[in-house]
Amino acid sequence: MSPLSGRSAWREVAIAAVALPIVITLAVMAFAWPAGRIAPRDVPVGIVGTGPASQNAVEGLAHARPGAFDFHLYPDQRAARAAIKNRDVYGAFAISGNSITVLSASAASPSVAQLLTQVGQQLADKATQQIAQQKAIEQKADQQKAAGTHSSAKAHKQAAAPQGAAGADSSVKILVKAVDVVPVATDDPRGVVFSSSVFPLTICGIMIGAFVTMARGLARPRHRVLTLLVSCAVAALGIYVVAQGFLGALPHNHVATWAILSLDLLSISATAAGVIRLLGPAGLGLSAGLMVFVGNAFSGATSAPDMLPKGVNDIGQWLPPGAGASLLRDTAYFDGNSGGGHLAVLILWSVIGITAVMFGHWVMRESRGARNAKTGATASAELLPALPGSGVTSLDRRPAHAHAHARRNDGDS
């Protein structure tokens, strides 16, 4: 066995024993770390009214969950509902004398809607406890006034304090009413079908891009681009038939939802095709790593972007999987409200990918031409000395005295 083959074997062993485990570890961490750190971070929520009860709620939430919510004030529930439908906030708390109304939108995020309901219940329990304590204090003051002496008041205080608190607890209780302003589809009450569709979309997009780039029958760039467009549109139609026709997870804005699915697939497949066109087979691994292990993991499709760690949510929304999932929610349930930024991200990635597919063959042709020219020159330099009867070679190979003799003969002639 030659030394080169042994060196190559050791290099492959090192890749399998060191490089691949590192890549696998990073891939697992990319998915597991954001999922393990899900918590509200500046989640936009509304507060209805500016009275003392609303102010106390804001102060209580800010103290109990610092940095969890970004509060927006609205004059009434109608304005809060409009803000939820416009995707300005995830929900709102409407606090009145004896009740707290939690306005939420499970279509925006079932996990955030559940969180807001839990927070509303906590606010109600705390308000009930405060009212009970206030009533107990008032009862104690009345007992002290009626007793007339400090000792008698003290005795009444010890005996009546638990009774007053119990009476207040039984007579006053803040009720919580949850209202789902924009509910998720009845056939998908937990949004599982919706969130589960993001990962297959990414994989399918990469598969389309890889096939279109490596297909030998698609020799011209415009044929590749046209095939990308048709494949993404047809695949998106099939996905929509499954998600809505069989599972009922996308019940609104049918044509627009199909168009967004097509654009989502196009942004991923065009990017994969462009990278493969520029880098060759290595581009497949690069595009898969970017879209799957970064784009999918940071998309926030299973919870919400505002529930992910800071920075991660921004990265996810700038990549097609995250932007596509958010735009799909905006289109399917909120009439496209707040979807302009996500639409721009998908269009940008699609244009960049298509441009790479269209003009990448020129870059590759020039690169191959330069390599072939260099290889040809090297091969010619190595082969010319072996050719017999070549005048140039014989002149180059003659010793110095032979060159001098030839010059003298030329001068004589």
Side-chain angles (χ1 to χ4, degrees):
M1 184 177 67
S2 66
L4 287 178
S5 61
R7 214 173 284 131
S8 176
W10 278 110
R11 183 169 61 248
E12 292 174 356
V13 170
I15 292 174
V18 179
L20 287 181
I22 291 176
V23 171
I24 293 172
T25 302
L26 293 176
V28 172
M29 187 179 70
F31 276 92
W33 174 63
R37 295 293 184 270
I38 290 178
R41 296 173 175 86
D42 292 330
V43 176
V45 297
I47 298 292
V48 177
T50 58
S54 300
Q55 294 178 358
N56 291 335
V58 172
E59 293 174 359
L61 289 176
H63 178 73
R65 296 173 176 263
F69 300 106
D70 179 21
F71 296 104
H72 300 256
L73 298 179
Y74 298 99
D76 50 34
Q77 289 194 30
R78 182 178 180 181
R81 288 171 179 265
I84 293 172
K85 293 179 180 179
N86 290 332
R87 297 285 275 145
D88 297 329
V89 293
Y90 280 92
F93 300 105
I95 303 172
S96 61
N98 296 323
S99 66
I100 296 178
T101 301
V102 180
L103 304 175
S104 62
S106 58
S109 172
S111 59
V112 174
Q114 183 179 5
L115 171 66
L116 295 181
T117 303
Q118 294 174 355
V119 171
Q121 186 62 54
Q122 294 172 1
L123 288 175
D125 294 341
K126 186 175 182 180
T128 300
Q129 183 180 6
Q130 290 176 347
I131 293 175
Q133 292 175 352
Q134 183 64 31
K135 283 190 172 292
I137 293 173
E138 293 176 357
Q139 289 180 359
K140 293 173 187 178
D142 293 340
Q143 291 171 0
Q144 290 176 355
K145 185 184 293 185
T149 61
H150 179 70
S151 59
S152 178
K154 183 176 182 180
H156 280 291
K157 178 181 179 180
Q158 294 175 351
Q163 297 175 0
D169 285 334
S170 60
S171 61
V172 178
K173 185 174 180 62
I174 303 299
L175 302 178
V176 178
K177 180 182 179 182
V179 179
D180 199 345
V181 179
V182 186
V184 75
T186 55
D187 292 334
D188 186 24
R190 293 178 296 173
V192 176
V193 175
F194 184 94
S195 59
S196 300
S197 64
V198 176
F199 187 76
L201 271 175
T202 305
I203 297 298
C204 292
I206 295 174
M207 290 174 57
I208 292 173
F211 174 80
V212 169
T213 306
M214 298 178 180
R216 296 183 178 181
L218 302 174
R220 297 177 181 243
R222 64 174 180 268
H223 294 163
R224 299 180 190 273
V225 173
L226 181 61
T227 305
L228 278 175
L229 295 173
V230 174
S231 300
C232 291
V234 176
L237 181 60
I239 293 171
Y240 184 76
V241 168
V242 172
Q244 173 55 30
F246 293 123
L247 302 175
L250 301 171
H252 309 294
N253 301 321
H254 307 292
V255 176
T257 302
W258 165 68
I260 296 305
L261 286 171
S262 302
L263 181 60
D264 191 7
L265 280 174
L266 179 63
S267 63
I268 297 172
S269 61
T271 301
V275 175
I276 296 172
R277 191 65 174 156
L278 291 173
L279 302 181
L284 178 59
L286 179 61
S287 58
L290 179 64
M291 295 299 175
V292 175
F293 298 116
V294 179
N296 261 350
F298 296 173
S299 66
T302 57
S303 56
D306 301 276
M307 300 283 282
L308 297 178
K310 289 294 184 182
V312 169
N313 56 348
D314 296 325
I315 295 174
Q317 296 306 300
W318 274 101
L319 292 173
S326 298
L327 183 58
L328 190 60
R329 287 188 189 276
D330 298 336
T331 304
Y333 289 101
F334 297 92
D335 295 327
N337 293 327
S338 187
H342 303 133
L343 179 63
V345 169
L346 295 183
I347 293 175
L348 178 63
W349 282 95
S350 300
V351 170
I352 292 175
I354 290 174
T355 302
V357 173
M358 289 292 295
F359 302 103
H361 70 290
W362 290 349
V363 176
M364 296 299 293
R365 184 171 59 187
E366 292 178 0
S367 177
R368 289 195 195 98
R371 287 198 302 267
N372 292 338
K374 184 177 179 180
T375 304
T378 304
S380 299
E382 293 175 353
L383 291 174
L384 279 175
L387 295 176
S390 175
V392 177
T393 304
S394 60
L395 288 175
D396 290 338
R397 290 294 181 179
R398 284 183 300 178
H401 64 86
H403 284 282
H405 181 69
R407 284 195 298 271
R408 286 196 301 270
N409 291 339
D410 292 339
D412 294 339
S413 62

